[in-house]
Amino acid sequence: MQFMATPSLRRRMACWLYEGLLMFGVVFLSGYLFGTLSQTRNALDNRHALQAFLFVIFGIYFVWFWAKGQTLAMKTWNIRLVDRHDAPVTQKRALARYCLSWLWFLPPLIAISPFNLSGGEISVLLIGWVLIWALLSRFHPDRQFWHDAWAGTRLVNSAPLSR
């Protein structure tokens, strides 16, 4: 069986950054909805509840689109999510990928939690870990991110939509 080709690390990271930009809109709308429904007057009130709410909203967003094959950013960069056998991803597998994708952020956040670091120091550590995590894909036989390998998913090149 011939597998579809893996997009370059550069394309996958460009897609990742674009996805992050698009998530600002999701965060803004979700935060506004949460603040309105909870009658939150101060940004620090209900902070943990807002974080949990955003975790669920992000999960719904990503699981929904990944189960359909692509998010908007993935369509822009002609990247598709498939399972190990190049078949469409189930919602269960997309949920597993969502949970495992937090490996992009959780290890450094857990490591720095006991320390009182500035925002700049936290940013440097997070960016450093993201770069390490991305480069670790070089050690995967198919050049996939490790959370994809563990979730049983693959990022592959997708043909551009014809006009």
Side-chain angles (χ1 to χ4, degrees):
M1 172 183 264
Q2 179 66 32
F3 285 115
M4 292 185 263
T6 302
S8 70
L9 181 58
R10 179 182 227 148
R11 262 186 57 223
R12 288 181 287 157
M13 292 309 294
C15 180
W16 186 85
L17 285 171
Y18 184 43
E19 194 78 67
L21 289 173
L22 294 175
M23 292 309 293
F24 276 114
V26 174
V27 168
F28 178 79
L29 290 173
S30 301
Y32 177 75
L33 178 65
F34 179 85
T36 301
L37 294 176
S38 66
Q39 295 296 303
T40 300
R41 302 278 185 243
N42 185 319
L44 295 178
D45 290 346
N46 299 324
R47 183 179 75 174
H48 297 298
L50 174 60
Q51 290 170 342
F53 181 72
L54 288 174
F55 178 81
V56 170
I57 294 298
F58 288 172
I60 292 168
Y61 172 88
F62 284 114
V63 169
W64 172 269
F65 282 107
W66 287 340
K68 298 202 174 295
Q70 295 174 302
T71 62
L72 179 59
M74 292 167 79
K75 286 180 184 179
T76 302
W77 286 94
N78 298 317
I79 296 173
R80 179 171 291 284
L81 183 70
V82 295
D83 72 5
R84 284 188 183 117
H85 308 290
D86 293 336
V89 174
T90 64
Q91 285 188 342
K92 183 178 177 182
R93 192 168 302 275
L95 180 60
R97 183 179 195 259
Y98 172 69
C99 293
L100 288 168
S101 72
W102 279 95
L103 289 171
W104 283 98
F105 303 107
L106 282 183
L109 291 176
I110 291 169
I112 64 177
S113 63
F115 306 105
N116 189 17
L117 300 177
S118 70
E121 292 167 326
I122 292 170
S123 297
V124 167
L125 290 171
L126 274 171
I127 291 168
W129 174 252
V130 164
L131 292 173
I132 289 168
W133 187 252
L135 290 173
L136 284 173
S137 69
R138 299 283 200 187
F139 296 103
H140 186 274
D142 196 23
R143 306 265 182 185
Q144 293 291 326
F145 294 125
W146 285 99
H147 65 278
D148 279 311
W150 297 328
T153 58
R154 301 176 65 242
L155 291 174
V156 298
N157 289 317
S158 172
L161 295 174
S162 58
R163 295 180 182 195

